[in-house]
Amino acid sequence: MESDSKRKRKSDSGEDDIDNRPKDGDELVMDETVYEVYHRVQTGAPCLSFDIIPDHLGSDRVCSHANPLTLYLMAGTQTMKNHANTVTVAKLSNIQPLRRSDKEDSDDSDEDSEDDNMEGPQGEARLMTSSIRYPGATNRIRYAKLGSASYAAQWSESKEVRVWRIDSQLQRLETSGTDNSLTKDRVPEFTFPGHLHEGFALDWSRLVEGRLATGACDGSLHVWMAAESGQWRVDQRPFVGHCSSVEDIQWSPVEATVFASCGTDSTLRVWDIRAAPHKACMITQRASKSDVNVINWNSSEPFIVSGDDDGVLAVWDLRSMKPTSESGRPVASFRDHAGAVTSVEWNPCDSSVFAASGADDRVTLWDLSVERDGPEVEDVPAQLMFVHQGQTEVKELHWHPQIPGLLITTALDGFNVFKTISV
């Protein structure tokens, strides 16, 4: 599926541009006509890992001035003062669409309400937080629902993985009269000290409630399972295969015993936990010439997208992967980012679309279903739909599963919440 076709695109500045990476001295100017929703949210301390908390407000929600959006997040901070770090649960409300300043948009659309085409300032989003004080920076954090309870799994820089119950924090967001609350001296539900080094790889199974996989910088992987009475079972035998740091883990969305991992040994590996840990690695794919930083498993198609240190995005078809392959080829490969890829995720509402962020301070949206259309433009893949800029050191992104097209990114200077006209 890799293509050398090129096409013109509109950059954030609103001009047709072959290379829209900012140059030294450039000032980025936002083109509001290419966004339906755009909000910047400051949290105080940087939160370089976060996850979306599903809610009961319904699916397929649409943002309007009459019905602004509300969403829930959880995140872990990374501050210079170790004792000041927190695990934070947040409620972001009053998320409104951008006010249109072009009256022609209103004239051309009979379906839009008069309210949604009003000119004027956009309403400010409201951020409420409820935090747990924790003395250590968060490397990665992921949410899961176990029965009726809400949990956060947290990889910290202290070499330990902790599981926190966050129901009381969620409750405070609905009942507290203040925008920010802090709980001190909370004890996690469970702490696993079995990893000998810190790590980043962390994922809950979507098929088996309470099943968790973690990977560390020494190449070790462990699989957890929630047991009765709030206990956890962790196989002390690590899964063996990676010869250096495990950077990311993803459970299969269709096979309950299968997960994938990637690492600084340049490989993408697929595991089956029905086998003994030292025999569980079923596929080893040489996926890069450099570190493979992140992966994401498509929930509808047998595809995994990966991002590496060279800025390369690759899409792998599991049906064509061999048990061991040094020369396997991805079905699609793109090199548009000028720095390491830091996050990738398939759009849960469109299986051909994924988003990626990079160390070049860019967020890119891709559509694999796009074919060559119109004149070629050098170095611009036809599948590149949109480039979002304006943040510093973008570390992680997630699509909201209940609000089609809404993307949330986190960076050193806070969160962006946006929806483009492209998705």
Side-chain angles (χ1 to χ4, degrees), residues 261-277:
S261 64
C262 65
T264 58
D265 59 3
S266 305
T267 65
L268 166 63
R269 297 172 185 262
V270 179
W271 310 73
D272 192 331
I273 65 173
R274 290 173 295 184

Side-chain angles (χ1 to χ4, degrees), residues 271-289:
W271 310 73
D272 192 331
I273 65 173
R274 290 173 295 184
H278 67 287
K279 297 180 179 179
C281 185
M282 302 298 171
I283 295 175
T284 300
Q285 172 68 58
R286 182 69 59 180
S288 172
K289 295 180 180 179

Side-chain angles (χ1 to χ4, degrees), residues 184-255:
K184 301 179 180 179
D185 302 321
R186 266 282 303 276
V187 177
E189 294 289 306
F190 182 77
T191 300
F192 176 58
H195 285 292
L196 301 180
H197 295 77
E198 69 173 313
F200 295 86
L202 177 71
D203 194 38
W204 294 96
S205 170
R206 286 170 276 182
L207 301 178
V208 180
E209 186 176 279
R211 180 173 284 170
L212 178 70
T214 56
C217 293
D218 61 353
S220 64
L221 299 106
H222 289 273
V223 172
W224 308 34
M225 190 65 209
E228 296 180 359
S229 304
Q231 300 300 311
W232 295 79
R233 298 194 307 268
V234 186
D235 193 332
Q236 300 297 318
R237 300 171 299 168
F239 286 77
V240 177
H242 285 286
C243 58
S244 56
S245 178
V246 181
E247 296 293 282
D248 204 1
I249 290 177
Q250 282 277 292
W251 283 99
S252 166
V254 295
E255 296 184 78

Side-chain angles (χ1 to χ4, degrees), residues 75-88:
T77 63
Q78 290 189 341
T79 69
M80 296 298 292
K81 297 179 179 179
N82 203 44
H83 66 277
N85 280 293
T86 62
V87 172
T88 296

Side-chain angles (χ1 to χ4, degrees), residues 18 36 68 90 98 113 142 145 153 203 241 254 263 327 329 356 388:
I18 294 177
E36 294 183 14
L98 289 170
S113 69
R142 292 292 180 262
K145 190 88 168 179
D203 194 38
V254 295
S327 58
R329 291 181 176 272
H388 172 77

Side-chain angles (χ1 to χ4, degrees), residues 27-155:
E27 180 181 355
L28 294 177
V29 178
M30 178 181 173
D31 180 2
E32 293 188 357
T33 66
V34 298
Y35 290 89
E36 294 183 14
V37 178
Y38 175 81
H39 286 270
R40 298 182 65 182
V41 180
Q42 298 290 337
T43 56
C47 298
L48 302 185
S49 182
F50 76 102
D51 206 1
I52 294 170
I53 301 175
D55 54 54
H56 301 290
L57 301 178
S59 299
D60 299 324
R61 306 205 294 269
V62 177
C63 186
S64 70
H65 295 292
N67 295 290
L69 297 171
T70 296
L71 56 86
Y72 297 83
L73 308 171
M74 67 175 192
T77 63
Q78 290 189 341
T79 69
M80 296 298 292
K81 297 179 179 179
N82 203 44
H83 66 277
N85 280 293
T86 62
V87 172
T88 296
V89 181
K91 177 182 180 181
L92 187 59
S93 59
N94 196 40
I95 301 172
Q96 299 184 22
L98 289 170
R99 299 277 189 178
R100 297 184 183 178
S101 58
D102 188 350
K103 289 184 172 62
E104 293 182 1
D105 288 348
S106 178
D107 296 337
D108 293 339
S109 177
D110 296 332
E111 297 179 0
D112 291 340
S113 69
E114 182 179 350
D115 177 66
D116 281 349
N117 285 289
M118 291 175 58
E119 296 183 33
Q122 175 185 234
E124 291 293 327
R126 180 187 181 188
L127 177 68
M128 299 178 66
T129 64
S130 180
S131 303
I132 302 169
R133 177 62 53 81
Y134 168 74
T138 296
N139 291 345
R140 193 157 293 169
I141 194 166
R142 292 292 180 262
Y143 171 84
K145 190 88 168 179
L146 278 63
S148 61
S150 293
Y151 288 88
Q154 176 210 25
W155 242 128

